[in-house]
Amino acid sequence: MRSEWTVAAITRAMLPVLLALTVVEIGSGLVLQTFEAQLLAHPSLLVLVPVTIGTAGNLGSILASRLSTAFHLGTLSFDPTDDELAGNALAVVALALTLFPVVGAGAWALTAVTQGTDLGVGTVVLVAFLSGAVLAALAVAVTVGATYAAYHFGLDPDDVVIPVVTNVCDVLGVLVLFGAVRLVL
């Protein structure tokens, strides 16, 4: 891993990553725009959008910080049978499976209190739960992949992985949320 901390070195390492992530975020906005009519028709789903993509990015960031710490301590192994890697991934999935139904219920309650909702609480919770389950698995895969790529290219995972994970999870969050909506509705 490079340990040079100059403006030029940081720019060389991060500029390509940030430019690629800018394109990814533009893609996220374009995907979100294609579902605008459905969001406006079901306001509780509209409330779910920022919470879902934010929570997915946060789950990936939690795992990324744990993997980065393990990397710097020299205990990180990319072996699928590694107990530390599997335990951290399982913890993120378990957190998502318990958190996303609460997020769905909260989105439904907020919409019901402010303007009324046309979807039942069970429907919104189911959409949130399905989204959360799929996003947790994807966040784990993206985080492990980004951490491995940082390791492989000699980059500091503290600098690279969290921006990659949060931005990719933004796009995946939109896609998965609307996949779940199409499946449930």
Side-chain angles (χ1 to χ4, degrees):
M1 180 176 68
R2 295 183 190 123
S3 60
E4 185 181 0
W5 287 89
T6 65
V7 172
I10 293 169
T11 302
R12 272 193 309 275
M14 292 303 299
L15 188 60
V17 172
L18 294 175
L19 290 174
L21 293 176
T22 300
V23 172
V24 167
E25 283 298 323
I26 290 170
S28 177
L30 293 173
V31 169
L32 187 58
Q33 184 180 7
T34 62
F35 298 106
E36 182 180 10
Q38 196 166 17
L39 288 174
L40 294 175
H42 306 291
S44 53
L45 299 178
L46 184 61
V47 172
L48 273 180
V49 172
V51 178
T52 299
I53 62 178
T55 303
N58 290 342
L59 290 171
S61 296
I62 290 167
L63 181 58
S65 67
R66 296 193 53 87
L67 294 181
S68 181
T69 298
F71 172 82
H72 288 298
L73 292 173
T75 61
L76 180 62
S77 167
F78 292 104
D79 182 5
T81 62
D82 179 33
D83 288 339
E84 184 177 3
L85 179 63
N88 284 319
L90 184 60
V92 166
V93 171
L95 181 60
L97 294 178
T98 56
L99 183 63
F100 273 93
V102 174
V103 166
W108 181 87
L110 180 67
T111 307
V113 168
T114 57
Q115 67 182 32
T117 181
D118 62 333
L119 298 175
V121 65
T123 302
V124 178
V125 168
L126 181 61
V127 166
F129 177 77
L130 290 174
S131 298
V134 172
L135 281 171
L138 291 173
V140 167
V142 168
T143 303
V144 171
T147 304
Y148 180 77
Y151 166 77
H152 179 73
F153 291 112
L155 300 171
D156 187 348
D158 285 330
D159 295 337
V160 176
V161 176
I162 289 178
V164 168
V165 168
T166 55
N167 283 276
V168 170
C169 284
D170 282 354
V171 175
L172 292 175
V174 170
L175 293 173
V176 168
L177 177 64
F178 289 108
V181 167
R182 287 184 184 213
L183 185 65
V184 172
L185 295 185

